[in-house]
């Protein structure tokens, strides 16, 4: 039973990773998609999530709803996703320069992989882990291709203001500030 669950999780990660490679290699930097149509139920499900934090041996649950009440940039990533890893130093600098706009990294990966990764690449913003069953929700939040990295700008009201599929660059982060 455990083997079947792990196998399904790894297959899901592979599929998302394959999609991210296609997105990263074929898409040039482009504007954010403003005001995408996201269902109320998808938003309610997202804000109800309790994501896991490190360390792996004693993960704590962090309610995503705790981030509501001010704008927040949520970045979906994975340790094996090269574009995700490349954009992390830029996101870290952005988070430090713009404390009024928190950045949260939501990993579609295992806590074990995250812990190994965090020992090599450290960022100042919180990194939380989602389970494989959240992949469907990520698609409902506007990531119809299922690729990574994927970023969402939420307004203080908890509504999606803009989405971006692909590796973020300085230009997209500057544009993001104008969307607030």
């Amino acid at each position: 039973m455990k083997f079947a669950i792990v196998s399904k999780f790894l297959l899901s990660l592979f599929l998302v990773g394959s999609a991210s490679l296609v997105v990263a290699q074929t898409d040039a930097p482009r504007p954010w998609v403003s005001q995408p149509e996201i269902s109320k139920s998808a938003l309610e499900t997202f804000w109800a999530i309790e994501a896991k934090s490190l360390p792996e041996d004693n993960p704590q649950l962090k309610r995503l709803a705790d981030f509501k009440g001010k704008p927040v940039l949520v970045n979906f990533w994975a340790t094996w996703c090269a574009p995700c890893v490349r954009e992390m130093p830029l996101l870290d600098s952005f988070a430090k320069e713009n404390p009024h706009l928190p950045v949260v990294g939501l990993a579609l990966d295992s806590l074990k992989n995250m812990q190994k990764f965090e020992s090599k690449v450290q960022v100042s913003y919180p990194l939380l882990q989602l389970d494989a069953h959240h992949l469907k929700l990520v698609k409902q939040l506007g990531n119809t291709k299922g690729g990574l990295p994927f970023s969402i700008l939420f307004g203080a009201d908890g509504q999606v203001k803009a989405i971006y599929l692909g590796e973020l660059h300085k230009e997209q982060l500057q544009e993001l500030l104008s969307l607030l």
Side-chain angles (χ1 to χ4, degrees):
M1 176 75 168
K2 187 175 181 180
F3 177 77
I5 292 170
V6 171
S7 296
K8 287 180 183 178
F9 181 73
L10 292 175
L11 177 60
S12 297
L13 292 177
F14 174 77
L15 293 174
V16 171
S18 298
S20 73
L21 292 176
V22 171
V23 169
Q25 292 175 356
T26 61
D27 287 351
R30 62 205 171 286
W32 287 78
V33 176
S34 296
Q35 304 296 328
E37 290 188 34
I38 308 295
S39 74
K40 183 178 177 180
S41 65
L43 286 171
E44 288 172 353
T45 302
F46 175 80
W47 290 117
I49 291 174
E50 291 186 338
K52 297 174 193 151
S53 67
L54 295 172
E56 175 195 10
D57 58 352
N58 187 24
Q60 303 297 312
L61 294 179
K62 177 75 174 166
R63 293 172 1 117
L64 295 185
D66 292 345
F67 294 102
K68 280 177 82 172
K70 56 185 165 187
V72 62
L73 175 60
V74 174
N75 178 258
F76 294 89
W77 68 286
T79 60
W80 41 261
C81 167
C84 301
V85 175
R86 281 195 307 264
E87 74 181 3
M88 289 181 98
L90 180 65
L91 283 170
D92 190 48
S93 294
F94 179 81
K96 290 175 182 174
E97 294 167 7
N98 299 281
H100 63 283
L101 180 60
V103 174
V104 178
L106 294 180
L108 296 164
D109 210 325
S110 71
L111 283 173
K112 183 177 182 177
N113 288 346
M114 287 176 62
Q115 191 153 342
K116 287 180 190 175
F117 178 83
E118 191 179 49
S119 69
K120 297 174 192 167
V121 178
Q122 297 181 352
V123 295
S124 60
Y125 58 89
L127 299 177
L128 305 173
Q129 187 251 350
L130 295 181
D131 295 318
H133 70 273
H134 290 113
L135 290 173
K136 181 179 176 187
L137 176 62
V138 175
K139 286 186 176 187
Q140 292 171 346
L141 290 170
N143 186 355
T144 56
K145 292 183 181 181
L148 292 175
F150 176 65
S151 300
I152 303 175
L153 173 63
F154 288 96
D157 59 359
Q159 299 297 308
V160 174
K161 299 298 179 198
I163 59 174
Y164 192 86
L165 178 58
E167 183 177 350
L168 289 169
H169 299 279
K170 193 171 187 171
E171 299 80 19
Q172 287 80 36
L173 291 175
Q174 291 305 313
E175 179 187 352
L176 175 71
L177 292 174
S178 69
L179 299 173
L180 293 175

